[in-house]
Amino acid sequence: MSFAEPRPDLAAALPAFAALAGERRWASRLSELARRVRPPPGRGGTWRGRAAQRRHALELALARLVEDPRALDRAGRGERRLLAIAADAVRLAETLPARGRARLRERLAAGLEGEQTLVPLFHLLRSAALYRARGFTVEFPGLAEDAPFDLLIRRGGAEAAVACETFSAEEGRSLHRGDWYALVDRVHPELQTWLAAHPGRYVLKMTLPEGLGGPDRLAELHRRISQLLATPTRQDSSADAVLKLDPLVLAGAQAAGQGRLLPERLRAQFGPEAHLAVTADPSGGSVFVIAARAGREDTIAEAFGRRLAAAAEARLGAAADGRAGILAVFVEDVDRTEWRALRESLELEGAARRFLTTAAARPVVAVTCCSRMELLGLEAPDAVPEGELRFRNPAHPAARQPGALAPAIEPAP
């Protein structure tokens, strides 16, 4: 049975998962997340609140089902996948030795602190379920024995050590999304007031060569935007920021009401790397768009390659006892459109294949990649068929005649 299929024990696993996390810790975390995503009194949702809702979607979905088990009957495919993984965590805890159970609880607790999430642990458990579904037996030496790699998989006399990594696309962005959301939340009320006094359609284009790091730079940029809106010059340039306020012109879309098509048109005009925010005055049809980009292109693929090299050395080197190694990487902090773009442009594939030609890749027989889209069971083109991208290392002895390892390392058809 695939881990993604509904199981009769899912409802029973809900309270057990909360107990495994620690009921007091679980309740405290849910209260904290509720405060983050709740709109301020008298206002709509904030950008940071919506970002927190997306980032912690796993915890929030489980919370709804833990608090109201009757919601299981209405759960969608993605929620049932999360429930199945939570049930796997409970079953795994029952099979581990005492120290292994403690490590599992430690990882679960770490995912419920600060900006951390349950994604790394759920990626590990989902990876194990995928290998089992492909005919492998799976052990958890990372938890049971504190090994540097997470899983040991065996099939037909062959075995491989699997290191499950979580890579954030933010590592390759010059303009971090968290800083962007904080800026937009600061200026949004001011823009609403300004737009009411200046009906029309505007775009504030910003180039930020060094991003937005730090609260001091954020406050300074907010001040400059406020000053720009208060003067007739409509332009402000310095070494660390270039701001220009223009009329918003979208070819073929001059009507005031564009509804759901506006984000698509803006993305087409400003490109996939632009950070976009829209403030609208529904009563008058006025629109104010902020379009920001860094002074250089994002380097997500390059950062991904660096992470592969570091993980291979730290987790699949001598400690793997000469076994074939697999780097199973979860790519985090990407939305559907960006995930598709990274795949279709072959940027991730190029970074993985370049890494596989280096000395650091000697113990690695394959690199695999997935995202939240695969975790939640979305269908193509948003998600990858068979649940992950797979890149085989042709220089590794186990890849020349993959045999029993083929389901884990051969590219999906």
Side-chain angles (χ1 to χ4, degrees):
M1 177 180 287
S2 166
F3 79 98
E5 295 176 5
R7 294 170 172 166
D9 58 348
L10 288 187
L14 288 170
F17 180 79
L20 183 64
E23 292 180 355
R24 180 176 296 180
R25 176 183 290 113
W26 180 252
S28 174
R29 179 61 162 178
L30 297 185
S31 296
E32 175 198 355
L33 293 180
R35 288 193 298 272
R36 287 199 205 180
V37 304
R38 187 182 301 123
R43 288 180 54 190
T46 65
W47 280 72
R48 280 176 292 184
R50 290 190 290 270
Q53 197 166 23
R54 289 191 298 270
R55 179 170 181 79
H56 300 285
L58 275 65
E59 298 95 309
L60 293 170
L62 289 173
R64 288 192 297 271
L65 296 167
V66 168
E67 293 170 357
D68 181 12
R70 294 171 299 177
L72 181 59
D73 296 333
R74 304 186 299 274
R77 183 177 183 182
E79 289 175 315
R80 285 186 171 271
R81 277 182 169 249
L82 297 180
L83 286 170
I85 296 172
D88 280 351
V90 173
R91 280 189 293 274
L92 176 60
E94 295 170 351
T95 65
L96 289 170
R99 190 66 191 99
R101 285 195 298 275
R103 291 190 186 98
L104 176 59
R105 289 193 176 98
E106 288 167 5
R107 292 201 188 187
L108 184 50
L112 298 174
E113 292 290 335
E115 292 303 314
Q116 301 304 308
T117 71
L118 293 178
V119 164
L121 178 59
F122 274 45
H123 170 46
L124 186 155
L125 294 167
R126 174 185 179 269
S127 297
L130 282 176
Y131 291 125
R132 283 194 297 266
R134 294 170 186 163
F136 291 88
T137 59
V138 180
E139 298 175 13
F140 293 80
L143 292 170
E145 305 163 16
D146 202 22
F149 53 92
D150 295 295
L151 307 174
L152 184 60
I153 62 173
R154 293 189 175 97
R155 181 175 179 268
E159 65 180 23
V162 182
C164 297
E165 286 281 311
T166 301
F167 164 76
S168 171
E170 288 286 81
E171 294 180 28
R173 292 190 179 111
S174 300
L175 179 54
H176 290 174
R177 288 181 173 176
D179 295 332
W180 169 247
Y181 298 145
L183 174 66
V184 174
D185 279 341
R186 282 193 180 208
V187 303
H188 180 71
E190 193 172 337
L191 292 181
Q192 287 182 310
T193 301
W194 188 91
L195 197 58
H198 301 78
R201 296 153 56 80
Y202 307 89
V203 57
L204 174 60
K205 302 173 186 176
M206 300 194 302
T207 301
L208 306 169
E210 302 302 323
L212 267 172
D216 292 341
R217 294 193 64 185
L218 197 67
E220 172 61 14
L221 186 58
H222 180 201
R223 183 193 66 76
R224 290 174 62 178
I225 292 173
S226 299
Q227 186 174 10
L228 182 70
L229 296 175
T231 63
T233 58
R234 302 296 189 251
Q235 188 164 342
D236 180 0
S237 299
S238 69
D240 60 355
V242 178
L243 287 67
K244 188 177 181 183
L245 181 60
D246 288 323
L248 174 64
V249 178
L250 294 173
Q254 299 308 308
Q258 297 177 58
R260 62 181 179 82
L261 294 179
L262 181 59
E264 298 175 13
R265 293 182 182 276
L266 292 172
R267 182 58 63 194
Q269 177 166 322
F270 293 103
E273 292 188 349
H275 294 253
L276 301 171
V278 178
T279 298
D281 176 13
S283 61
S286 296
V287 174
F288 195 111
V289 175
I290 307 178
R293 60 172 61 248
R296 56 184 181 273
E297 292 184 357
D298 289 345
T299 56
I300 295 173
E302 289 84 346
F304 177 71
R306 291 192 295 271
R307 170 60 71 85
L308 294 178
E313 181 177 358
R315 307 190 64 193
L316 293 175
D321 288 333
R323 297 183 180 93
I326 298 174
L327 283 174
V329 185
F330 191 101
V331 181
E332 179 67 305
D333 298 315
V334 290
D335 57 27
R336 298 186 188 192
T337 301
E338 190 171 24
W339 178 235
R340 286 179 62 183
L342 286 170
R343 288 151 38 204
E344 292 171 359
S345 66
L346 304 183
E347 290 184 53
L348 286 183
E349 178 173 351
R353 295 200 184 282
R354 286 191 294 273
F355 158 72
L356 291 172
T357 66
T358 67
R362 283 185 188 135
V364 179
V365 68
V367 172
T368 70
C369 304
C370 65
S371 71
R372 291 196 182 209
M373 275 49 83
E374 289 73 30
L375 179 69
L376 296 175
L378 301 186
E379 297 181 353
D382 293 323
V384 181
E386 295 197 10
E388 63 185 8
L389 298 169
R390 296 196 288 272
F391 309 114
R392 180 171 56 89
N393 182 0
H396 195 285
R400 297 190 188 112
Q401 294 181 324
L405 285 181
I409 68 174
E410 288 290 323

